[in-house]
């Protein structure tokens, strides 16, 4: 079951794509944004709206790391740990996140503010290290700036 607002946004999104398969990723984003994660009933609702097989929708949702099947923190932090970011010491930032926010990859902070994932390249390789917080891009991270940035998210 999806909130009416999510259904409306998915239907609007559908109009922008040539076929419903192309609209699947944005539809899953919308569903997750409204529900907080993607339980089976939300995946079924997306499949029904897009007239796609449930198995296809579940397969796509489970393949992509940014979709969660269980509740997480209020904000999803995806710290890029691909080659360029790793060379720019993003692994040291993982230590900072652990020390200051109690965050470990794949887990949620004790205050339920953040869920942390080690993410893939977000196309900001010239300004590494980089991360996504929800859909916000942050680049050129340092130990100091990552703390300052996350402090803005309640
Ligand atoms: S490798 Fe991190 S943004 Fe590209």
């Amino acid at each position: 079951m999806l909130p009416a607002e999510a259904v409306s946004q998915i239907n609007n999104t559908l109009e922008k794509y040539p076929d419903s398969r192309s609209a699947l990723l944005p539809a899953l984003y919308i569903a997750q944004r409204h529900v907080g994660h993607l339980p089976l009933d939300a995946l079924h609702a997306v499949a029904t709206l897009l007239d796609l097989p449930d198995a296809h929708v579940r397969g796509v949702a489970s393949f992509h790391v940014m979709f969660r099947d269980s509740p997480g923190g209020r904000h999803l932090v995806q710290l890029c740990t691909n080659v360029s970011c790793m060379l720019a010491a993003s692994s040291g930032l993982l230590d900072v996140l652990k020390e200051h926010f109690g965050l470990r990859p794949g887990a949620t902070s004790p205050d339920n503010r953040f869920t942390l994932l080690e993410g893939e390249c977000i196309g900001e390789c010239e300004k590494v290290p980089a991360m996504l917080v929800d859909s916000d891009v942050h680049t050129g991270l340092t130990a100091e700036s990552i703390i300052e940035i996350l402090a803005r998210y309640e």
Side-chain angles (χ1 to χ4, degrees), residues 19-36:
D19 59 62
S20 61
R21 266 178 203 270
S22 308
L24 179 53
L25 288 179
L28 289 171
Y29 269 116
I30 292 167
Q32 181 166 274
R33 194 168 61 236
H34 283 271
V35 178

Side-chain angles (χ1 to χ4, degrees), residues 3-102:
E5 178 65 22
V7 171
S8 171
Q9 288 180 8
I10 290 172
N11 284 330
N12 289 340
T13 298
L14 262 173
E15 294 173 12
K16 300 175 188 163
Y17 288 86
D19 59 62
S20 61
R21 266 178 203 270
S22 308
L24 179 53
L25 288 179
L28 289 171
Y29 269 116
I30 292 167
Q32 181 166 274
R33 194 168 61 236
H34 283 271
V35 178
H37 64 294
L38 292 172
L40 288 178
D41 65 332
L43 293 175
H44 176 68
V46 170
T48 302
L49 283 169
L50 272 57
D51 195 24
L52 293 172
D54 274 31
H56 177 71
V57 173
R58 285 186 200 182
V60 170
S62 63
F63 177 79
H64 292 281
V65 68
M66 64 279 204
F67 296 125
R68 303 188 302 248
D69 62 0
S70 57
R74 293 191 294 282
H75 304 286
L76 179 61
V77 178
Q78 297 180 73
L79 180 66
C80 177
T81 53
N82 270 20
V83 176
S84 296
C85 284
M86 193 176 20
L87 290 173
S90 63
S91 57
L93 296 177
L94 287 172
D95 295 335
V96 172
L97 294 177
K98 186 176 178 188
E99 284 170 24
H100 281 79
F101 298 98

